Amino acid sequence: MPAEPISILKSINSGKVYPLNEVRFTSDNGELLDVIHDFERIKKQHKISKEYFFKKRVIINDQPSGGVWHFKELILPEIHDDHIISKQEGNTRLYRSKKVSSWLALKQDKFYLKHEGENPTGSFKDRGMTVAITMAKQLKQKAVTCASTGNTSASLAAYASEAELTGLVLIPKGNVAVGKISQALAYGTKTLVVNGDFDDCMRLIREAQEKLSAYPLNSINPFRLEGQKTIIWETLMQLNWNVPDWFVFPGGNLGNTSAFGKAVFEAYELGLIDRMPRFAVIQAEGASPFYKAYKNNFTGLKTEKAETIATAIKIGDPVNYTKAVRSLKWTNGIVESVTDEEILEAKAHVDSAGIGAEPASCATVAGIKKLIAAGEIKPKETVVGILTGNILKDPQVIVDYHLKKKSPLANPPYDIEAAIGEMKKFL
Ligand code: F0G
Protein backbone atom coordinates (compact mmCIF):
# COMPACT_ATOMS: atom_id res chain seq x y z
CA MET A 1 0.00 0.00 0.00
CA PRO A 2 1.45 3.45 -0.85
CA ALA A 3 2.26 5.54 2.21
CA GLU A 4 -0.20 8.29 3.11
CA PRO A 5 1.12 11.69 2.02
CA ILE A 6 2.68 13.66 4.87
CA SER A 7 1.24 17.00 3.63
CA ILE A 8 -2.04 17.76 1.88
CA LEU A 9 -4.24 20.69 0.90
CA LYS A 10 -7.46 20.94 2.90
CA SER A 11 -10.38 23.34 2.57
CA ILE A 12 -10.81 25.32 5.76
CA ASN A 13 -14.51 24.72 6.45
CA SER A 14 -15.69 21.51 4.85
CA GLY A 15 -12.33 19.73 5.12
CA LYS A 16 -12.20 18.62 1.49
CA VAL A 17 -8.76 17.20 0.74
CA TYR A 18 -6.56 17.66 -2.36
CA PRO A 19 -3.03 16.49 -3.11
CA LEU A 20 -0.21 18.93 -2.44
CA ASN A 21 0.92 18.85 -6.06
CA GLU A 22 -2.43 19.93 -7.47
CA VAL A 23 -2.34 23.51 -8.73
CA ARG A 24 -5.30 25.03 -6.93
CA PHE A 25 -6.01 27.88 -4.54
CA THR A 26 -9.58 27.22 -3.46
CA SER A 27 -11.70 24.11 -3.04
CA ASP A 28 -14.39 23.17 -5.58
CA ASN A 29 -16.89 25.16 -3.54
CA GLY A 30 -14.63 28.22 -3.29
CA GLU A 31 -13.18 27.85 0.23
CA LEU A 32 -9.60 28.85 1.04
CA LEU A 33 -7.08 26.02 1.44
CA ASP A 34 -4.67 25.18 4.26
CA VAL A 35 -1.50 23.16 3.90
CA ILE A 36 -1.92 20.45 6.54
CA HIS A 37 0.98 18.30 7.73
CA ASP A 38 0.82 15.02 9.59
CA PHE A 39 2.45 16.32 12.76
CA GLU A 40 2.15 12.99 14.58
CA ARG A 41 4.46 11.41 12.02
CA ILE A 42 6.74 14.44 11.77
CA LYS A 43 7.05 14.61 15.55
CA LYS A 44 8.07 10.98 15.73
CA GLN A 45 10.51 11.23 12.81
CA HIS A 46 12.33 14.31 14.12
CA LYS A 47 11.60 14.26 17.87
CA ILE A 48 10.25 17.80 17.58
CA SER A 49 10.71 19.82 20.78
CA LYS A 50 11.88 23.25 21.90
CA GLU A 51 15.40 21.85 22.32
CA TYR A 52 15.32 20.30 18.85
CA PHE A 53 14.99 23.76 17.28
CA PHE A 54 17.63 25.26 19.57
CA LYS A 55 20.17 22.58 18.64
CA LYS A 56 19.33 22.19 14.98
CA ARG A 57 21.75 23.36 12.27
CA VAL A 58 20.51 23.90 8.74
CA ILE A 59 22.61 24.14 5.59
CA ILE A 60 20.92 25.48 2.45
CA ASN A 61 22.91 26.19 -0.73
CA ASP A 62 26.10 25.30 1.21
CA GLN A 63 25.49 28.04 3.76
CA PRO A 64 24.38 27.80 7.38
CA SER A 65 20.82 29.05 7.42
CA GLY A 66 18.38 29.93 10.17
CA GLY A 67 15.21 31.80 9.46
CA VAL A 68 12.43 30.27 7.42
CA TRP A 69 14.07 26.94 6.55
CA HIS A 70 15.11 26.35 10.12
CA PHE A 71 11.52 25.10 10.41
CA LYS A 72 11.50 23.13 7.18
CA GLU A 73 9.84 20.02 8.65
CA LEU A 74 6.87 22.14 9.72
CA ILE A 75 6.57 23.95 6.35
CA LEU A 76 7.46 21.64 3.47
CA PRO A 77 8.79 18.48 5.13
CA GLU A 78 9.32 16.53 1.94
CA ILE A 79 11.08 19.07 -0.24
CA HIS A 80 14.66 18.19 -1.19
CA ASP A 81 17.12 20.82 0.10
CA ASP A 82 18.59 21.28 -3.39
CA HIS A 83 15.19 22.35 -4.69
CA ILE A 84 14.75 25.20 -2.23
CA ILE A 85 14.98 28.71 -3.67
CA SER A 86 16.15 30.84 -0.80
CA LYS A 87 17.87 34.12 -0.06
CA GLN A 88 18.38 33.29 3.61
CA GLU A 89 15.19 35.12 4.54
CA GLY A 90 14.25 35.54 8.19
CA ASN A 91 16.70 35.80 11.09
CA THR A 92 15.38 39.28 11.71
CA ARG A 93 16.14 41.29 14.83
CA LEU A 94 13.89 41.58 17.85
CA TYR A 95 14.53 45.14 19.05
CA ARG A 96 14.02 46.65 22.43
CA SER A 97 13.77 50.44 22.45
CA LYS A 98 13.94 52.74 25.42
CA LYS A 99 12.46 55.58 23.40
CA VAL A 100 9.51 53.76 21.89
CA SER A 101 8.63 51.87 25.06
CA SER A 102 8.67 55.05 27.13
CA TRP A 103 6.43 56.79 24.55
CA LEU A 104 4.05 53.86 24.86
CA ALA A 105 4.39 53.69 28.66
CA LEU A 106 5.37 50.02 28.45
CA LYS A 107 8.19 48.38 30.37
CA GLN A 108 11.39 48.36 28.28
CA ASP A 109 12.09 44.71 29.03
CA LYS A 110 8.57 43.67 28.02
CA PHE A 111 8.18 45.43 24.70
CA TYR A 112 9.76 44.15 21.49
CA LEU A 113 9.70 45.15 17.85
CA LYS A 114 10.33 42.30 15.41
CA HIS A 115 11.72 43.95 12.29
CA GLU A 116 10.63 42.13 9.17
CA GLY A 117 11.91 45.05 7.09
CA GLU A 118 15.32 43.38 7.50
CA ASN A 119 14.50 40.62 5.02
CA PRO A 120 16.33 40.41 1.65
CA THR A 121 13.93 42.68 -0.25
CA GLY A 122 12.92 44.72 2.79
CA SER A 123 9.64 43.15 3.87
CA PHE A 124 8.12 40.04 5.45
CA LYS A 125 6.92 38.92 2.01
CA ASP A 126 10.25 37.16 1.40
CA ARG A 127 9.39 34.59 4.07
CA GLY A 128 6.35 33.50 2.14
CA MET A 129 7.91 33.98 -1.26
CA THR A 130 10.78 31.52 -0.71
CA VAL A 131 8.24 28.77 0.00
CA ALA A 132 5.71 29.66 -2.71
CA ILE A 133 8.32 30.09 -5.46
CA THR A 134 9.94 26.82 -4.45
CA MET A 135 6.52 25.20 -4.94
CA ALA A 136 6.00 27.04 -8.26
CA LYS A 137 9.18 25.35 -9.50
CA GLN A 138 8.14 21.98 -8.10
CA LEU A 139 4.78 22.32 -9.86
CA LYS A 140 6.59 23.15 -13.12
CA GLN A 141 4.95 26.57 -13.47
CA LYS A 142 6.25 28.89 -16.18
CA ALA A 143 4.86 32.27 -15.13
CA VAL A 144 4.30 33.72 -11.66
CA THR A 145 2.07 36.72 -10.93
CA CYS A 146 0.74 38.87 -8.13
CA ALA A 147 -1.41 41.86 -7.39
CA SER A 148 0.46 44.14 -5.08
CA THR A 149 0.51 47.31 -3.06
CA GLY A 150 4.27 47.10 -3.66
CA ASN A 151 6.09 44.75 -1.33
CA THR A 152 4.84 41.49 -2.82
CA SER A 153 5.83 42.73 -6.27
CA ALA A 154 9.34 43.60 -5.07
CA SER A 155 9.71 40.19 -3.47
CA LEU A 156 8.23 38.28 -6.41
CA ALA A 157 10.54 40.13 -8.79
CA ALA A 158 13.66 39.17 -6.85
CA TYR A 159 12.68 35.52 -6.41
CA ALA A 160 11.39 35.06 -9.98
CA SER A 161 14.76 36.30 -11.19
CA GLU A 162 16.59 33.82 -8.97
CA ALA A 163 14.27 30.98 -10.05
CA GLU A 164 14.41 31.96 -13.73
CA LEU A 165 10.63 32.19 -13.99
CA THR A 166 8.67 34.76 -15.97
CA GLY A 167 7.30 37.30 -13.50
CA LEU A 168 4.32 39.58 -14.05
CA VAL A 169 3.20 42.00 -11.34
CA LEU A 170 0.07 44.13 -11.23
CA ILE A 171 0.17 47.34 -9.21
CA PRO A 172 -2.54 49.99 -8.75
CA LYS A 173 -1.79 53.25 -10.56
CA GLY A 174 -0.51 56.07 -8.35
CA ASN A 175 -0.68 54.05 -5.14
CA VAL A 176 2.62 52.27 -4.75
CA ALA A 177 5.60 53.77 -2.88
CA VAL A 178 8.60 54.64 -5.02
CA GLY A 179 11.01 52.28 -3.24
CA LYS A 180 8.82 49.31 -4.08
CA ILE A 181 8.21 50.12 -7.76
CA SER A 182 11.95 50.70 -8.14
CA GLN A 183 12.63 47.20 -6.89
CA ALA A 184 10.19 45.52 -9.29
CA LEU A 185 11.74 47.39 -12.23
CA ALA A 186 15.29 46.81 -11.09
CA TYR A 187 14.95 43.06 -10.48
CA GLY A 188 13.59 42.76 -14.02
CA THR A 189 10.00 41.64 -13.71
CA LYS A 190 7.28 42.90 -16.08
CA THR A 191 5.38 45.57 -14.18
CA LEU A 192 1.83 46.37 -15.26
CA VAL A 193 0.37 49.56 -13.80
CA VAL A 194 -3.37 48.99 -13.62
CA ASN A 195 -5.90 51.75 -13.91
CA GLY A 196 -7.73 50.62 -10.77
CA ASP A 197 -7.06 49.85 -7.11
CA PHE A 198 -5.43 46.85 -5.40
CA ASP A 199 -8.72 44.99 -5.22
CA ASP A 200 -9.14 45.33 -9.01
CA CYS A 201 -5.61 43.95 -9.46
CA MET A 202 -6.41 41.02 -7.17
CA ARG A 203 -9.55 40.19 -9.16
CA LEU A 204 -7.48 40.14 -12.36
CA ILE A 205 -4.91 37.81 -10.80
CA ARG A 206 -7.60 35.30 -9.83
CA GLU A 207 -8.97 35.40 -13.37
CA ALA A 208 -5.46 35.06 -14.84
CA GLN A 209 -4.92 31.92 -12.79
CA GLU A 210 -7.95 30.28 -14.40
CA LYS A 211 -7.68 31.67 -17.91
CA LEU A 212 -3.94 32.17 -18.46
CA SER A 213 -2.51 29.50 -16.10
CA ALA A 214 -0.42 32.17 -14.40
CA TYR A 215 0.62 30.99 -10.92
CA PRO A 216 -0.36 33.55 -8.23
CA LEU A 217 2.08 34.35 -5.45
CA ASN A 218 -0.34 36.43 -3.40
CA SER A 219 -1.29 35.29 0.08
CA ILE A 220 -4.23 33.36 -1.39
CA ASN A 221 -1.44 30.89 -2.20
CA PRO A 222 -1.36 28.68 0.93
CA PHE A 223 2.40 28.08 0.60
CA ARG A 224 3.04 31.80 1.16
CA LEU A 225 1.39 31.50 4.55
CA GLU A 226 3.49 28.45 5.46
CA GLY A 227 6.60 30.63 5.19
CA GLN A 228 5.07 33.53 7.09
CA LYS A 229 4.34 31.26 10.07
CA THR A 230 8.05 31.46 10.85
CA ILE A 231 7.78 35.12 11.90
CA ILE A 232 5.98 33.85 14.99
CA TRP A 233 8.12 30.76 15.61
CA GLU A 234 11.35 32.69 15.23
CA THR A 235 10.11 35.33 17.69
CA LEU A 236 9.09 32.65 20.17
CA MET A 237 12.56 31.11 19.90
CA GLN A 238 14.14 34.53 20.46
CA LEU A 239 12.02 34.74 23.62
CA ASN A 240 13.18 31.28 24.72
CA TRP A 241 9.76 29.88 23.78
CA ASN A 242 8.17 32.15 26.42
CA VAL A 243 4.79 33.25 25.09
CA PRO A 244 4.21 37.02 25.03
CA ASP A 245 0.80 38.29 26.09
CA TRP A 246 0.29 40.03 22.74
CA PHE A 247 1.36 39.94 19.12
CA VAL A 248 0.33 43.17 17.41
CA PHE A 249 0.57 43.67 13.63
CA PRO A 250 -1.06 45.45 10.69
CA GLY A 251 -3.81 43.87 8.60
CA GLY A 252 -4.38 44.41 4.88
CA ASN A 253 -5.07 41.34 2.78
CA LEU A 254 -4.93 39.45 6.13
CA GLY A 255 -2.28 36.94 5.06
CA ASN A 256 -0.20 37.51 8.19
CA THR A 257 -3.26 37.32 10.43
CA SER A 258 -4.03 33.93 8.87
CA ALA A 259 -0.45 32.64 8.94
CA PHE A 260 0.20 33.78 12.51
CA GLY A 261 -2.95 32.06 13.77
CA LYS A 262 -1.86 28.82 12.12
CA ALA A 263 1.62 29.27 13.61
CA VAL A 264 0.44 29.53 17.22
CA PHE A 265 -2.18 26.84 16.76
CA GLU A 266 0.45 24.43 15.44
CA ALA A 267 3.04 25.42 18.05
CA TYR A 268 0.46 24.63 20.74
CA GLU A 269 -0.47 21.35 19.05
CA LEU A 270 3.22 20.38 18.89
CA GLY A 271 3.76 21.24 22.55
CA LEU A 272 6.22 24.04 21.76
CA ILE A 273 4.10 26.54 23.71
CA ASP A 274 1.79 25.95 26.65
CA ARG A 275 -0.66 28.81 26.16
CA MET A 276 -1.96 30.97 23.32
CA PRO A 277 -0.90 34.61 22.98
CA ARG A 278 -3.55 37.19 22.07
CA PHE A 279 -3.53 38.90 18.69
CA ALA A 280 -4.33 42.54 17.95
CA VAL A 281 -4.71 43.33 14.26
CA ILE A 282 -4.42 47.01 13.35
CA GLN A 283 -6.03 48.54 10.28
CA ALA A 284 -5.89 52.05 8.87
CA GLU A 285 -9.22 53.77 9.47
CA GLY A 286 -9.79 54.39 5.74
CA ALA A 287 -9.10 50.73 4.89
CA SER A 288 -10.75 48.88 7.74
CA PRO A 289 -13.27 46.28 6.50
CA PHE A 290 -11.87 43.72 8.97
CA TYR A 291 -12.20 46.13 11.89
CA LYS A 292 -15.82 46.83 10.95
CA ALA A 293 -16.58 43.11 10.58
CA TYR A 294 -15.03 42.52 14.03
CA LYS A 295 -17.26 45.23 15.51
CA ASN A 296 -20.23 43.38 14.00
CA ASN A 297 -19.19 40.07 15.61
CA PHE A 298 -17.99 38.76 12.25
CA THR A 299 -21.46 38.48 10.83
CA GLY A 300 -19.97 39.22 7.39
CA LEU A 301 -17.41 41.21 5.46
CA LYS A 302 -18.51 44.43 3.79
CA THR A 303 -15.95 45.41 1.18
CA GLU A 304 -15.06 49.07 0.84
CA LYS A 305 -13.16 51.58 -1.27
CA ALA A 306 -9.89 51.93 0.64
CA GLU A 307 -8.01 55.16 1.34
CA THR A 308 -4.95 55.65 3.56
CA ILE A 309 -1.44 57.10 3.50
CA ALA A 310 -0.21 53.59 4.43
CA THR A 311 -0.47 52.36 0.82
CA ALA A 312 0.76 48.86 1.74
CA ILE A 313 -2.53 48.19 3.54
CA LYS A 314 -4.84 50.15 1.25
CA ILE A 315 -7.11 47.15 0.71
CA GLY A 316 -10.90 47.04 0.87
CA ASP A 317 -11.59 43.38 0.00
CA PRO A 318 -9.16 41.13 1.92
CA VAL A 319 -8.92 37.67 0.33
CA ASN A 320 -7.99 35.86 3.56
CA TYR A 321 -10.98 37.07 5.58
CA THR A 322 -12.28 33.64 6.65
CA LYS A 323 -8.86 32.40 7.75
CA ALA A 324 -8.27 35.66 9.63
CA VAL A 325 -11.55 35.30 11.55
CA ARG A 326 -10.44 31.80 12.56
CA SER A 327 -7.10 33.18 13.82
CA LEU A 328 -8.86 35.70 16.02
CA LYS A 329 -11.09 33.01 17.46
CA TRP A 330 -8.06 30.88 18.30
CA THR A 331 -6.26 33.75 20.00
CA ASN A 332 -9.10 35.66 21.65
CA GLY A 333 -7.96 38.36 19.27
CA ILE A 334 -9.10 41.91 18.72
CA VAL A 335 -9.02 44.41 15.83
CA GLU A 336 -8.36 48.14 16.15
CA SER A 337 -8.25 50.94 13.64
CA VAL A 338 -6.00 54.02 13.64
CA THR A 339 -6.06 57.27 11.68
CA ASP A 340 -3.37 58.31 9.22
CA GLU A 341 -2.30 61.01 11.71
CA GLU A 342 -1.85 58.37 14.41
CA ILE A 343 0.18 56.23 11.99
CA LEU A 344 2.44 59.16 11.10
CA GLU A 345 2.95 60.09 14.75
CA ALA A 346 3.86 56.51 15.67
CA LYS A 347 6.15 56.34 12.64
CA ALA A 348 7.96 59.50 13.73
CA HIS A 349 8.63 57.82 17.11
CA VAL A 350 9.78 54.51 15.60
CA ASP A 351 11.97 56.36 13.09
CA SER A 352 13.54 58.77 15.58
CA ALA A 353 14.38 55.83 17.85
CA GLY A 354 16.82 54.82 15.10
CA ILE A 355 14.77 51.78 14.10
CA GLY A 356 12.48 53.06 11.37
CA ALA A 357 9.83 51.32 9.31
CA GLU A 358 7.37 52.08 6.55
CA PRO A 359 3.96 53.63 7.35
CA ALA A 360 1.89 50.40 7.34
CA SER A 361 4.33 48.83 9.82
CA CYS A 362 3.90 51.74 12.16
CA ALA A 363 0.15 51.15 12.30
CA THR A 364 1.30 48.41 14.72
CA VAL A 365 2.77 50.93 17.14
CA ALA A 366 -0.11 53.40 16.72
CA GLY A 367 -2.45 50.52 17.53
CA ILE A 368 -0.51 49.55 20.66
CA LYS A 369 -0.71 53.18 21.85
CA LYS A 370 -4.47 53.20 21.34
CA LEU A 371 -5.03 49.80 22.96
CA ILE A 372 -3.03 50.83 26.03
CA ALA A 373 -5.11 54.02 26.32
CA ALA A 374 -8.28 51.90 26.06
CA GLY A 375 -7.04 49.56 28.82
CA GLU A 376 -6.99 46.53 26.48
CA ILE A 377 -3.22 46.13 26.72
CA LYS A 378 -2.05 46.44 30.33
CA PRO A 379 1.24 48.23 31.11
CA LYS A 380 2.73 45.10 32.68
CA GLU A 381 2.00 42.80 29.75
CA THR A 382 4.62 41.56 27.29
CA VAL A 383 3.98 42.92 23.82
CA VAL A 384 5.61 42.01 20.51
CA GLY A 385 4.89 44.43 17.68
CA ILE A 386 5.66 43.34 14.14
CA LEU A 387 7.25 45.90 11.83
CA THR A 388 6.46 44.56 8.38
CA GLY A 389 8.50 46.74 6.01
CA ASN A 390 11.72 48.75 5.76
CA ILE A 391 11.92 52.53 6.32
CA LEU A 392 13.40 53.04 2.83
CA LYS A 393 10.36 51.62 1.06
CA ASP A 394 8.45 54.90 1.26
CA PRO A 395 10.87 57.85 1.46
CA GLN A 396 8.28 60.34 0.15
CA VAL A 397 6.12 60.04 3.25
CA ILE A 398 9.17 60.78 5.41
CA VAL A 399 10.25 63.86 3.47
CA ASP A 400 6.69 65.21 3.38
CA TYR A 401 6.36 64.75 7.15
CA HIS A 402 9.60 66.49 8.05
CA LEU A 403 9.07 69.40 5.67
CA LYS A 404 5.70 70.21 7.27
CA LYS A 405 6.10 72.71 10.12
CA LYS A 406 3.06 71.38 11.93
CA SER A 407 4.39 67.82 12.19
CA PRO A 408 5.02 67.29 15.95
CA LEU A 409 8.41 65.61 15.45
CA ALA A 410 9.46 67.53 12.32
CA ASN A 411 13.22 67.46 11.71
CA PRO A 412 13.65 69.51 8.53
CA PRO A 413 16.96 69.99 6.70
CA TYR A 414 18.59 73.46 6.70
CA ASP A 415 20.45 75.17 3.83
CA ILE A 416 23.74 76.75 4.92
CA GLU A 417 26.75 78.47 3.34
CA ALA A 418 30.04 76.54 3.40
CA ALA A 419 31.30 78.34 6.52
CA ILE A 420 32.11 77.05 10.02
CA GLY A 421 30.15 79.88 11.64
CA GLU A 422 27.02 78.58 9.98
CA MET A 423 27.61 75.12 11.43
CA LYS A 424 28.21 76.45 14.93
CA LYS A 425 24.64 77.74 15.20
CA PHE A 426 23.35 74.17 15.22
CA LEU A 427 25.52 72.78 18.02
N1 F0G B 1 2.63 45.68 6.01
C1 F0G B 1 3.24 45.79 4.83
C2 F0G B 1 4.51 46.54 4.77
C3 F0G B 1 2.68 45.19 3.68
O1 F0G B 1 3.31 45.31 2.51
C4 F0G B 1 1.46 44.50 3.79
C5 F0G B 1 0.83 43.89 2.62
C6 F0G B 1 0.86 44.42 5.05
C7 F0G B 1 1.48 45.01 6.15
C8 F0G B 1 -0.41 43.70 5.27
O2 F0G B 1 -0.19 42.34 5.35
O3 F0G B 1 -1.79 41.56 3.63
O4 F0G B 1 -0.78 39.99 5.26
O5 F0G B 1 -2.48 41.63 5.97
N2 F0G B 1 1.22 44.07 1.45
C9 F0G B 1 0.71 43.38 0.28
C10 F0G B 1 1.53 43.69 -0.95
C11 F0G B 1 -0.73 43.45 0.07
O6 F0G B 1 1.03 43.61 -2.07
O7 F0G B 1 2.72 43.99 -0.81
P1 F0G B 1 -1.39 41.31 5.04
Side-chain angles (χ1 to χ4, degrees):
M1 219 169 64
E4 286 287 309
I6 208 146
S7 309
I8 50 162
L9 296 172
K10 194 171 179 182
S11 70
I12 69 162
N13 292 326
S14 55
K16 178 113 179 47
V17 167
Y18 304 92
L20 205 69
N21 61 3
E22 190 171 321
V23 178
R24 64 157 59 236
F25 303 90
T26 49
S27 62
D28 293 328
N29 61 349
E31 292 172 33
L32 293 172
L33 300 175
D34 276 324
V35 181
I36 298 288
H37 310 290
D38 184 343
F39 281 145
E40 282 309 310
R41 264 160 75 194
I42 293 168
K43 223 176 151 172
K44 270 193 211 131
Q45 268 173 23
H46 300 281
K47 300 199 170 44
I48 300 284
S49 66
K50 297 177 196 179
E51 293 70 34
Y52 170 79
F53 287 113
F54 280 135
K55 286 191 190 138
K56 192 179 165 200
R57 298 260 303 147
V58 182
I59 310 285
I60 304 280
N61 302 337
D62 302 325
Q63 289 177 315
S65 176
V68 170
W69 296 102
H70 190 76
F71 300 97
K72 182 186 144 186
E73 45 283 81
L74 310 181
I75 300 172
L76 279 185
E78 291 186 309
I79 193 87
H80 194 287
D81 283 354
D82 294 344
H83 295 161
I84 291 174
I85 294 156
S86 169
K87 294 176 178 291
Q88 301 175 45
E89 41 294 299
N91 274 324
T92 56
R93 293 181 187 86
L94 189 62
Y95 287 102
R96 286 209 287 218
S97 166
K98 206 172 175 176
K99 281 189 176 167
V100 184
S101 47
S102 78
W103 179 62
L104 291 170
L106 281 173
K107 284 194 168 14
Q108 199 192 331
D109 60 349
K110 294 205 159 191
F111 171 63
Y112 300 87
L113 286 168
K114 174 81 169 157
H115 209 324
E116 288 299 300
E118 296 179 347
N119 272 295
T121 75
S123 84
F124 70 90
K125 306 286 179 179
D126 298 338
R127 294 205 188 236
M129 204 56 72
T130 176
V131 182
I133 207 125
T134 294
M135 276 311 287
K137 275 294 234 199
Q138 286 298 106
L139 298 169
K140 309 230 170 339
Q141 301 298 296
K142 297 277 180 293
V144 288
T145 58
C146 72
S148 183
T149 55
N151 280 324
T152 307
S153 61
S155 185
L156 180 149
Y159 283 81
S161 168
E162 177 81 24
E164 298 184 276
L165 288 169
T166 301
L168 194 62
V169 304
L170 265 51
I171 57 173
K173 192 174 182 172
N175 279 297
V176 174
V178 66
K180 305 174 188 181
I181 299 187
S182 318
Q183 285 178 288
L185 303 178
Y187 298 140
T189 197
K190 284 270 174 296
T191 304
L192 307 187
V193 182
V194 176
N195 192 9
D197 61 15
F198 171 82
D199 301 303
D200 294 321
C201 296
M202 195 65 232
R203 218 172 315 115
L204 267 176
I205 288 297
R206 296 179 86 152
E207 210 176 319
Q209 193 263 316
E210 277 172 28
K211 298 187 180 157
L212 309 176
S213 297
Y215 189 77
L217 293 177
N218 278 103
S219 52
I220 193 170
N221 184 318
F223 299 108
R224 269 270 313 270
L225 303 188
E226 288 305 284
Q228 286 166 220
K229 294 189 303 191
T230 62
I231 299 172
I232 297 295
W233 294 339
E234 197 177 285
T235 308
L236 287 167
M237 267 187 80
Q238 285 167 310
L239 296 174
N240 245 326
W241 292 108
N242 289 316
V243 182
D245 296 299
W246 292 94
F247 277 103
V248 187
F249 49 90
N253 222 4
L254 303 176
N256 271 340
T257 311
S258 307
F260 293 0
K262 193 166 188 283
V264 290
F265 184 88
E266 291 178 352
Y268 188 80
E269 203 184 347
L270 286 159
L272 296 170
I273 55 174
D274 53 12
R275 70 181 177 104
M276 294 289 257
R278 291 186 72 190
F279 283 180
V281 181
I282 315 300
Q283 292 211 293
E285 195 175 85
S288 56
F290 192 51
Y291 171 72
K292 286 165 195 143
Y294 164 74
K295 285 284 171 196
N296 286 323
N297 295 317
F298 293 127
T299 44
L301 178 76
K302 259 210 197 124
T303 62
E304 63 185 45
K305 191 94 194 139
E307 190 51 63
T308 168
I309 197 163
T311 50
I313 49 174
K314 192 172 164 182
I315 296 173
D317 186 8
V319 295
N320 290 298
Y321 173 73
T322 42
K323 281 186 179 174
V325 172
R326 182 180 69 174
S327 289
L328 289 206
K329 290 193 173 143
W330 282 338
T331 60
N332 188 19
I334 58 177
V335 189
E336 186 53 275
S337 84
V338 290
T339 63
D340 282 0
E341 289 68 37
E342 288 168 329
I343 291 173
L344 287 177
E345 190 190 2
K347 175 168 161 59
H349 284 279
V350 173
D351 290 356
S352 69
I355 295 174
E358 70 162 285
S361 307
C362 297
T364 292
V365 178
I368 295 171
K369 181 94 178 155
K370 198 164 170 184
L371 291 169
I372 291 170
E376 280 281 5
I377 295 179
K378 311 279 182 298
K380 280 191 192 140
E381 290 183 313
T382 304
V383 181
V384 175
I386 311 289
L387 298 177
T388 44
N390 195 286
I391 185 173
L392 292 174
K393 291 279 191 171
D394 198 344
Q396 195 60 50
V397 164
I398 302 174
V399 174
D400 291 348
Y401 179 88
H402 289 289
L403 289 183
K404 260 193 211 126
K405 279 211 179 71
K406 65 175 180 26
S407 301
L409 273 78
N411 180 32
Y414 298 92
D415 292 330
I416 63 160
E417 298 304 324
I420 198 77
E422 297 255 314
M423 252 181 96
K424 205 174 160 196
K425 285 189 252 170
F426 293 92
L427 288 173

